[in-house]
């Protein structure tokens, strides 16, 4: 199949299973604000929502807010009594995300922390928050190994850690790649394999965003 055919399937899935005016409005506002179109796909956003609901997730840590598209899905899933703490490096992106979250009616359950995540995460850990039930990593790919290590510190047995964009159009299999994002993705997989507190897999995906995939890890006792 071609990438155009993958996109056709995505459109069919969105029309039948995902169509939602509020989340679609987030993408429209992101485009209007000039944000890069690197949000998760609509089917993946719905998948995150369903996963979080099925697992009874009430506390989410997200690294990489962008304009808040995945954040809206996750905030819906945790419900009115839940909380999403999301970290975004770019102040402009965080500003757009805040407006989108408030417009979607979930702003009161989302905290946005602006700045470098590797600077904000130690501050968060010092606050000794309750463990997060779900961690979604979708920021700068070269720091994903560090983000996974921080996720382990901030979760509990039974929590889930999802690392987006690890397949890199098949680059994940290239041991000789000099691409920093591919090298970091390989480090993530090797970390997930070696870390006894995690049990993990990687799911490849195709669609309107091309060929990629995400790592799914369960925190063990």
């Amino acid at each position: 199949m071609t990438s155009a055919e993958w996109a056709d399937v995505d459109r069919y899935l969105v029309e039948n299973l995902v169509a939602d005016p509020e989340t679609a409005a987030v993408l429209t506002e992101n485009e209007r604000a000039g944000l890069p179109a690197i949000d998760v796909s609509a089917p993946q956003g719905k998948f995150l929502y369903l996963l979080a609901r099925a697992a009874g997730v009430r506390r989410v840590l997200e690294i990489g807010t962008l304009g808040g598209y995945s954040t809206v899905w996750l905030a819906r899933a945790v419900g009115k009594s839940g909380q999403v703490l999301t970290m975004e490096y770019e102040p402009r992106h965080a500003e757009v995300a805040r407006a989108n979250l408030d417009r979607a009616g979930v702003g009161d359950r989302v905290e946005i922390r602006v700045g470098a995540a590797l600077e904000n995460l130690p501050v968060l850990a010092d606050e000794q928050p309750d463990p997060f039930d779900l961690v979604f990593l979708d920021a700068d790919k070269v720091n994903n190994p560090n983000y996974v290590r921080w996720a382990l510190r901030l979760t509990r047995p039974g929590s889930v850690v999802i690392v987006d964009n690890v397949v890199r159009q098949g680059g994940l299999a290239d041991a000789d790649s000099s691409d920093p994002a591919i090298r970091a993705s390989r480090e993530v997989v090797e970390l997930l394999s070696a870390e006894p507190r995690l049990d993990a897999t990687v799911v490849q995906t195709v669609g309107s965003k091309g060929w990629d995939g995400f790592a799914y890890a369960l925190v063990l006792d």
Side-chain angles (χ1 to χ4, degrees), residues 173-194:
D174 183 1
D176 298 321
S177 176
S178 60
D179 184 310
I182 291 173
R183 294 174 68 88
S185 291
R186 289 179 62 86
E187 186 179 345
V188 165
V189 171
E190 290 159 11
L191 172 60
L192 297 177
S193 174

Side-chain angles (χ1 to χ4, degrees), residues 141 164-172 179 181-182 185 211-213:
K141 308 311 174 185
D164 203 14
N165 306 125
V166 297
V167 173
R168 315 301 303 174
Q169 297 183 20
L172 181 64
D179 184 310
I182 291 173
S185 291
W211 175 21
D212 212 326

Side-chain angles (χ1 to χ4, degrees), residues 6 27 31 33 35 42-43 57-58 64 75 85 89 100 106 125 134 142 146 167-169 171-172 174 184 191 205:
W6 296 341
L27 297 178
E31 182 179 10
L35 271 58
V57 166
R58 288 294 174 265
L85 194 160
Y89 179 74
N100 283 332
V106 294
L134 172 66
V142 295
N146 292 322
V167 173
R168 315 301 303 174
Q169 297 183 20
L172 181 64
D174 183 1
L191 172 60
T205 60

